[in-house]
Structure formats: C-alpha cells, structure tokens
C-alpha cells in the first residue's frame, strides 16, 4: 500500500468520525439519514480497499463492518439513540487508533519493465531504491504484444522469468495498480499506442498510469550519441510523465522545446552505470563462446532495425559479405548481437525478407569464429569486444564510453562514395583526421572513409589512429555520473516524496 492510499483512507475515516459529531446535533431526520448513509458507504469502501491491498486484515475489516452496522441502526430511529451513538464513538476511536498500526507505513515504489534487454535503463535506480527501508519496492514486468502495422495484436510475450534471481518479481496478474496507487511508477516504454512493432496492454499506457500515481517517472531506454531526435521528446510517456531523467544538458535542451523545463532532469543514464559495472565484471565468458572467441580479436556486430526495414535484402547481402570477411581471418572473431526486436520488426514491417534472414542466422551460427548473441544482457558483449561494427544506436555511446574503436557501417552507401583510406599509412591517417573534423563525433570510423576490411585488419594489429580523446569525447555527450546515475535519479525522486 502506498503512502498516498494510506492518506486517502485515513482522511476518509476522519471524515466519518467528523460526521458522527454532526449527526449528534439537532438536525432534520432526513439529513441525519443522509449523513449516516454516506458514512456507512465510506467505511464499506475503506474495508473493500483494504481487503485488496493489506494482507491479514480480516479482523480489522470486521470492526469496520460492525461500524457500518451501527450507522444503519442509528438511521432507523426517529430520535438519535445516544447509547448506540456512544458505542459507535468508542468504536470509531478504537478503529482510528488501530488503523495507524494496520496500514503499512511505507512508500510504494513500482518499476514496470517489459523487455529484460531494456532493464538496464532502470536497474541501477532499482538498486538504489531497495536500500531505502522506508519503501516497499516492486518490480512488475508486464507482458507485451507483437503487432501488425494496423496494430492487430498477434501474440503475447512475458519475460518476468528472465530477470535475475535477486530481483523479486511481483506477478502482474495479482497486483492491481488502480487499487494500490503507487507513490512512484518508473517506466521505460513511452509509446502507448504509437509503436508499430510492440505494444503493452492499454492498462499500462502512460495515460492510464498517471491516473493512479502522482509521480510517473520516464527514463529513456536508449542513449544518444549526441542529440536526441525531436520526435522522442513528444511521445505520450514523456508528455504524461511527472519527471523525465536524461543523459545530458544537450539532450535536455531539445526536450525543453516541447516540455516544461522543470520536469526534465539531467542525471546521466543508468545504462552507462551498467556499462561501467560490466567493465568491472570478473566472471568469464560463457563456455559455449570460448571456442569461437578465445585468442582472437573480438568485434561486436550490432544490427539495428532501420536497416532491416529500409534496406531489406541489401542488409542481408551486406551481413553475408561481412561473414565472408571474418571467415577468412582466423585471428578475428565476430560477435553478432542483433536488435532484440529484429524478428518481430521483420514480421511486422518487412515480412518478405523473413525467410532469408532466418537462413542468414543459420549460416552465421556455422562460423567457427562467430557467436550469435541473443542473450538478454548486452553488457558482457560490450565488455569483451575489442571493436564495434554496426549502425548508430544506443550501443555506440555505450561502447564509446569504454574508449574502444567504433566503425559505423552504412549498408546503403554506394561504392563510388567510399574513399578507401589506408589508416596504417601517415598520409592515410592525415586524410582520415581531416575527414572526421566534419563529423559530429571525431573519434569514430565511418564507412565512407575506411573500408570494413581495412578497419578489421588495423584493429587486429592494434592500430587505432583515432583512439586519442575517444573516452573524453563520449563523456562530453553524456553527463558523467561516475557510474551512479541511478543513485542520482533515486535521490531526486526521494527528495520530492518527503
């Protein structure tokens, strides 16, 4: 039970007690009956709500039922029965006193993740919140649906069983948000009914959640490599949120074009907390990965949704070409981590390539130096990879924070626009550094300047001419919370609750 619900029930019962004093006064019989009827309804309401959210409260609810019966008896006589009134007054005093012990005296904090692969956007906030003994913290993963373009629901997916064992899970089928009225709700899905690939049930849309909490908090599930697109600043979740916690002042300024500046707070991103924690991880890689990765330079391949939607067959051909590059280099390994919604997106928005894409995955898994990573946690891949190849996505910033080399792979780039610079020669490096001055990020490799094979060969030889200042550049595009963004977010929320 939340503090908000406790206060509402306490105030409602106080009104009942005040009503008892009013009916003692010389008033019209019909007015007295009206008061008593309202008071009876109020205590029944309190009992009903408590039965839903307070465990083992049967005895207390029984006293409320007795009180309701007394109100009924008081409404039956032409004159007020002062003996019954006195008994009722004593019962009210007793209930009011016991109510303070029966109702939990903690804040109710609810986290509503839906995909385990996006839990890292909330996890460090959760870790900070559970340290507060004044709070009852719940993690309630909610199911989501894969949808068609016309938003016809196809199938439901629930990932609650995929969370780590140390995270106590609340069953969404046994917890009613409308009954518990959480003091704070944290979300990372801002789309409501505007997502064309997946959707939550309407009861978990932000427009519904804000009816049942005064503190709806949205934390973006992605990090930007610079600024954020305006469209992400106008999603329903952002509009309905009490607070939005963002990665940098630059991103905040874009949000402020569409939102009240007071609700947009810069704290850094919990996803970066997870990257920093992953860098400190001491456990080894999975045994099934060992044979493919051991003793090799590991390249993380990240394929995003846009290429699958817009490039289709071209994207499949490009990935097949990359597989050929790595099949010819025994000293390198490729760790392919596709976007977790790749299959769902293809089914919904480009179904014509589904069969070819699934064949591609099958062929990739035959590579002796390839690992197909469809696990829920991206941070092991980020930690063990020596270089990044892929699209622009949250992983670019998360990888850049580590200082390791990044290659942005443009599958739609015509060969005629590629410069093919030799980054192992002085002249090639000079031209490369001149070229990157025109980019928003000066420490990443772009396909327009450097061929993929050239990048792979250079990193295998530990040649990385853009390495200087890479960490510093990425730290400049995201607030440096020193791995404690989650703590900063929780501290800010907690200060407002008190």
């Amino acid at each position: 039970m939340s503090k908000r619900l406790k206060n509402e029930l306490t105030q409602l019962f106080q009104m009942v007690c005040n009503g008892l004093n009013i009916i003692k006064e010389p008033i019209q019989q019909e007015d007295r009956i009206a008061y008593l009827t309202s008071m009876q309804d109020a205590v029944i309401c309190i009992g009903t709500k408590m039965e839903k959210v307070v465990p083992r409260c049967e005895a207390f609810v029984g006293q409320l039922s007795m009180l309701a019966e007394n109100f009924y008896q008081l409404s039956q006589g032409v004159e007020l029965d002062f003996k019954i009134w006195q008994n009722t007054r004593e019962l009210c005093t007793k209930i009011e006193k016991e109510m303070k012990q029966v109702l939990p005296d903690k804040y109710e904090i609810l986290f509503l993740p839906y995909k385990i692969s996006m839990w890292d956007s909330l996890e460090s906030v959760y870790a900070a919140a559970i340290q507060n003994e004044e709070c009852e913290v719940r993690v309630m993963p909610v199911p989501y649906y894969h949808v068609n373009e016309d938003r016809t629901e196809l199938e439901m997916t629930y990932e609650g069983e995929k969370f780590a064992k140390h995270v106590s899970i609340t069953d969404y089928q046994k917890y009613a948000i409308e009954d518990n009225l959480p003091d704070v709700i944290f979300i990372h899905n801002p789309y409501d009914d505007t997502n064309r690939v997946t959707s939550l049930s309407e009861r978990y849309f932000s427009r519904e959640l804000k009816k049942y909490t005064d503190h709806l908090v949205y934390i973006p599930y992605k990090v930007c490599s610079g600024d954020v697109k305006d469209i992400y600043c106008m999603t329903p979740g952002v509009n309905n949120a009490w607070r939005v916690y963002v990665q940098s002042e630059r991103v905040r300024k874009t949000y402020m074009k569409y939102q009240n500046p007071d609700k947009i707070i810069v704290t850094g991103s919990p996803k970066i907390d997870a990257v920093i924690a992953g860098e400190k991880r001491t456990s080894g890689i999975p045994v099934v990965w060992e044979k493919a990765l051991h003793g090799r330079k590991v390249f993380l391949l990240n394929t995003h949704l846009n290429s699958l939607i817009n490039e289709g067959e071209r994207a499949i051909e490009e990935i097949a070409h990359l597989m050929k590059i790595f099949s010819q280099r025994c000293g390198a390994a490729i760790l392919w981590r596709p976007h977790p919604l790749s299959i769902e997106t293809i089914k919904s928005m480009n179904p014509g390539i589904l069969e070819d894409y699934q064949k591609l995955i099958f062929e990739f898994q035959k590579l002796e130096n390839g690992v197909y990573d469809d696990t829920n946690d991206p941070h092991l891949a980020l930690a063990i990879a020596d270089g990044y190849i892929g699209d622009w996505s949250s992983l670019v910033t998360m990888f850049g924070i580590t200082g390791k080399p990044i290659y942005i792979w443009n599958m739609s780039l015509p060969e005629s626009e590629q410069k093919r610079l030799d980054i192992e020669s002085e002249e090639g490096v000079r031209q490369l550094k001149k070229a990157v001055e025109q980019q928003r990020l000066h420490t990443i490799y772009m396909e327009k300047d450097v061929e993929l094979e050239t990048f792979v060969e250079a990193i295998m030889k530990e040649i990385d001419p853009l390495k200087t200042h890479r960490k510093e550049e990425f730290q400049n595009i995201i607030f440096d919370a020193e791995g404690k963004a989650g703590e900063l977010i929780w501290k800010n929320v907690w200060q407002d609750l008190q």
Side-chain angles (χ1 to χ4, degrees):
M1 173 183 284
S2 65
K3 287 272 191 176
R4 172 184 170 179
L5 181 55
K6 177 181 179 178
N7 291 339
E8 286 186 7
L9 296 184
T10 301
Q11 291 171 12
L12 182 57
F13 191 75
Q14 187 59 55
M15 291 172 63
V16 169
C17 295
N18 293 340
L20 200 57
N21 293 327
I22 293 174
I23 65 166
K24 186 182 178 184
E25 300 298 323
I27 59 176
Q28 295 294 321
Q29 174 69 359
E30 58 268 27
D31 293 336
R32 180 179 294 114
I33 293 174
Y35 270 111
L36 286 164
T37 301
S38 296
M39 292 156 65
Q40 187 179 32
D41 291 343
V43 295
I44 291 173
C45 175
I46 293 171
T48 301
K49 286 182 177 291
M50 289 186 64
E51 284 180 320
K52 290 180 178 179
V53 301
V54 180
R56 298 177 297 279
C57 65
E58 293 83 2
F60 184 80
V61 172
Q63 293 186 72
L64 290 173
S65 298
M66 289 173 56
L67 186 60
E69 176 61 25
N70 281 10
F71 291 153
Y72 173 75
Q73 293 297 332
L74 286 171
S75 68
Q76 295 306 296
V78 177
E79 299 293 333
L80 184 68
D81 187 322
F82 281 98
K83 184 177 180 180
I84 297 178
W85 184 92
Q86 187 61 39
N87 291 337
T88 305
R89 163 54 66 189
E90 291 173 1
L91 184 56
C92 270
T93 302
K94 181 182 178 184
I95 291 174
E96 188 174 21
K97 183 178 180 180
E98 290 187 13
M99 203 170 190
K100 296 177 182 178
Q101 278 76 49
V102 174
L103 296 184
D105 192 29
K106 288 192 173 185
Y107 292 92
E108 182 97 353
I109 312 299
L110 181 63
F111 288 82
L112 289 184
Y114 74 111
K115 284 192 70 65
I116 180 64
S117 59
M118 299 176 182
W119 172 236
D120 59 358
S121 63
L122 300 174
E123 187 174 14
S124 62
V125 187
Y126 163 77
I130 59 175
Q131 303 303 315
N132 192 318
E133 295 182 354
E134 296 183 54
C135 298
E136 180 73 28
V137 181
R138 297 179 182 273
V139 177
M140 192 173 81
V142 296
Y144 62 96
Y145 299 87
H146 310 292
V147 297
N148 289 322
E149 285 191 82
D150 62 358
R151 294 196 55 78
T152 303
E153 295 180 357
L154 297 179
E155 58 181 303
M156 187 189 84
T157 299
Y158 174 71
E159 301 189 359
E161 74 283 351
K162 297 181 179 180
F163 282 71
K165 291 182 179 179
H166 69 268
V167 179
S168 180
I169 298 299
T170 294
D171 188 342
Y172 73 95
Q173 298 176 90
K174 298 178 180 179
Y175 181 94
I177 294 174
E178 60 271 25
D179 292 332
N180 286 271
L181 304 181
D183 294 293
V184 186
I185 299 178
F186 288 94
I187 62 171
H188 62 184
N189 184 325
Y191 299 113
D192 286 8
D193 54 0
T194 63
N195 192 323
R196 293 184 294 169
V197 178
T198 61
S199 178
L200 306 183
S201 172
E202 186 173 356
R203 65 185 301 188
Y204 301 119
F205 287 176
S206 64
R207 66 173 180 245
E208 295 299 313
L209 297 176
K210 73 174 186 177
K211 298 176 183 177
Y212 307 116
T213 184
D214 294 327
H215 302 90
L216 180 62
V217 176
Y218 168 60
I219 301 175
Y221 67 87
K222 60 173 69 178
V223 287
C224 311
S225 53
D227 206 348
V228 62
K229 292 182 179 179
D230 289 36
I231 191 171
Y232 293 120
C233 305
M234 300 179 283
T235 57
V238 174
N239 293 335
N240 292 322
W242 162 72
R243 290 270 168 84
V244 178
Y245 292 94
V246 298
Q247 68 182 61
S248 69
E249 187 60 41
R250 180 178 178 182
V251 169
R252 179 174 183 263
K253 287 179 179 177
T254 305
Y255 272 90
M256 285 166 53
K257 289 157 55 177
Y258 308 97
Q259 304 294 335
N260 182 339
D262 293 339
K263 79 185 231 180
I264 312 299
I265 311 295
V266 178
T267 54
S269 171
K271 295 179 78 71
I272 302 303
D273 295 350
V275 172
I276 293 173
E279 288 281 283
K280 299 175 182 177
R281 186 180 296 186
T282 56
S283 58
I285 65 176
V287 175
V288 293
W289 293 10
E290 280 280 359
K291 184 178 179 181
L293 303 184
H294 183 69
R296 295 182 166 110
K297 285 289 185 183
V298 179
F299 291 80
L300 171 60
L301 170 62
N302 171 42
T303 50
H304 203 256
L305 301 178
N306 290 338
S307 58
L308 297 174
I309 297 170
N310 301 322
E311 304 303 326
E313 289 293 346
R314 171 72 182 272
I316 292 175
E317 291 171 3
E318 289 292 326
I319 297 171
H321 174 66
L322 179 139
M323 289 165 54
K324 183 177 180 180
I325 291 173
F326 278 87
S327 67
Q328 298 170 346
R329 290 166 173 80
C330 62
I334 183 71
L335 196 165
W336 182 12
R337 186 172 178 84
H339 190 285
L341 293 176
S342 295
I343 297 293
E344 291 86 347
T345 300
I346 290 173
K347 287 180 179 179
S348 174
M349 304 184 70
N350 200 352
I353 68 168
L354 179 60
E355 184 177 350
D356 288 342
Y357 183 76
Q358 290 174 325
K359 287 180 181 178
L360 182 73
I361 294 173
F362 180 75
E363 292 300 321
F364 181 89
Q365 291 172 325
K366 293 180 181 179
L367 288 176
E368 292 184 1
N369 58 342
V371 169
Y372 183 77
D373 179 14
D374 58 355
T375 63
N376 300 315
D377 181 7
H379 299 287
L380 178 58
L382 290 169
I384 65 178
D386 299 292
Y388 171 99
I389 298 170
D391 303 313
W392 288 106
S393 78
S394 290
L395 287 187
V396 171
T397 303
M398 295 164 71
F399 201 83
I401 289 291
T402 70
K404 292 181 286 190
I406 296 168
Y407 183 89
I408 300 300
W409 192 24
N410 183 354
M411 296 184 182
S412 63
L413 184 70
E415 286 191 25
S416 59
E417 296 183 18
Q418 295 183 6
K419 293 182 182 177
R420 298 183 173 85
L421 297 177
D422 177 9
I423 60 175
E424 297 184 35
S425 70
E426 289 187 12
E427 177 58 23
V429 171
R430 186 189 67 78
Q431 292 184 46
L432 175 64
K433 290 185 175 180
K434 183 177 180 180
V436 298
E437 289 177 0
Q438 309 304 314
Q439 300 171 185
R440 56 191 173 100
L441 294 176
H442 300 160
T443 60
I444 62 174
Y445 300 88
M446 303 288 288
E447 187 173 11
K448 67 180 180 62
D449 301 316
V450 180
E451 283 189 293
L452 180 56
E453 294 94 327
T454 302
F455 173 77
V456 172
E457 287 288 343
I459 302 308
M460 288 176 65
K461 298 174 185 176
E462 299 190 352
I463 296 173
D464 181 7
L466 299 182
K467 182 176 182 178
T468 307
H469 306 306
R470 183 177 290 125
K471 264 193 174 184
E472 179 183 345
E473 179 172 60
F474 276 89
Q475 286 172 347
N476 285 337
I477 64 174
I478 192 161
F479 177 77
D480 184 10
E482 299 180 346
K484 297 181 179 180
E487 291 183 26
L488 293 178
I489 292 170
W490 173 246
K491 182 179 179 181
N492 184 267
V493 171
W494 177 244
Q495 286 176 338
D496 198 87
L497 286 180
Q498 294 176 293

